[in-house]
Amino acid sequence: MGFEKKDLDVVLVPGGLLIMLVYHLQLLYRYLHKPHTTCMGFENFNKRFWVQAIMQGEKGNIGTCLGVISSNRSAATFLASVSLTLCSLIGAWISNNNNFFFESNLVYGDTWTSTLSIKYAVLLICFLLAFSCFIQSTQHFVHANYLISMPSPSIPLKNVEVAVIRGSDFWSVGLRALYFALNLLLWFFGPIPMFVCSIFMVLFLYYLDSNTMPLIEHEFDGRQV
């Protein structure tokens, strides 16, 4: 029995997902152990000192700070809405039996109905994960907004830092879920586009995630940290 085109899905799709998974595992390792080599770690480093400067600065700067938090919250809310809308569209698409294009010979790969159902399911999971992460990001930014705007000066600085950093982390995870969803979306057009997209996606993300800039020294109360 020879190698058929439907067998490409068995080889290329797990291979593409494995490439993405291995890259993100090494990115997670760098983020936890060498955060200054990643853009997320570099940004979180600056966000911690941004929070410290706002909380220890003059009360007149609170308005600017709340504006920044509000912008992040609005962006997370927008992407959560987009993810939920795409989930609804996929649900409507699944209920529609007119999938002639994806089941035709124009798609070089497995076009069985069961395989098509798997494609819909994994794509839906990615969008639901993205929606959940963006909602969590919004929640933490709202919490940070409350803490920063609270008139009491006894709010622990660490609490505000944790709220801002967690909001940013959930934002990043939500974006990663959308990146995976883009790969899986191309799977509808065959395993070859999906595998090629995985390779280019990893190269593109490596360029975006790598940081070569040195950590900036900040001054508070006349001392450098």
Side-chain angles (χ1 to χ4, degrees), residues 6-64:
K6 65 180 181 180
D7 297 327
L8 287 175
D9 291 76
V10 181
V11 178
L12 295 183
V13 173
L17 293 177
L18 182 62
I19 291 174
M20 292 283 290
L21 181 61
V22 169
Y23 168 75
H24 282 90
L25 286 178
Q26 69 87 23
L27 177 64
L28 178 62
Y29 176 83
R30 289 167 54 201
Y31 176 71
L32 295 176
H33 299 280
K34 300 178 181 179
H36 62 280
T37 63
T38 66
C39 284
M40 290 185 295
F42 180 76
E43 291 173 358
N44 288 344
F45 176 83
N46 291 323
K47 287 174 184 176
R48 288 188 179 93
F49 288 104
W50 175 77
V51 171
Q52 188 172 351
I54 290 297
M55 298 300 292
Q56 295 181 357
E58 299 179 358
K59 292 298 182 181
N61 297 328
I62 296 297
T64 303

Side-chain angles (χ1 to χ4, degrees), residues 82-132:
V82 170
S83 300
L84 186 60
T85 302
L86 292 174
C87 289
S88 302
L89 290 177
I90 292 174
W93 205 349
I94 293 175
S95 62
N96 185 8
N97 295 323
N98 296 325
N99 297 312
F100 299 116
F101 176 79
F102 298 122
E103 295 178 352
S104 66
N105 292 327
L106 296 176
V107 177
Y108 194 81
D110 192 351
T111 56
W112 286 8
T113 305
S114 58
T115 304
L116 191 61
S117 300
I118 295 175
K119 295 178 182 179
Y120 283 129
V122 293
L123 186 61
L124 183 61
I125 290 173
C126 283
F127 283 128
L128 287 175
L129 177 61
F131 168 75
S132 302

Side-chain angles (χ1 to χ4, degrees), residues 69-81 134 137-138 141 171:
I69 296 293
S70 178
S71 299
N72 285 272
R73 187 180 69 248
S74 299
T77 303
F78 172 75
L79 288 180
S81 302
F134 288 130
S137 177
T138 303
F141 283 135
W171 165 271

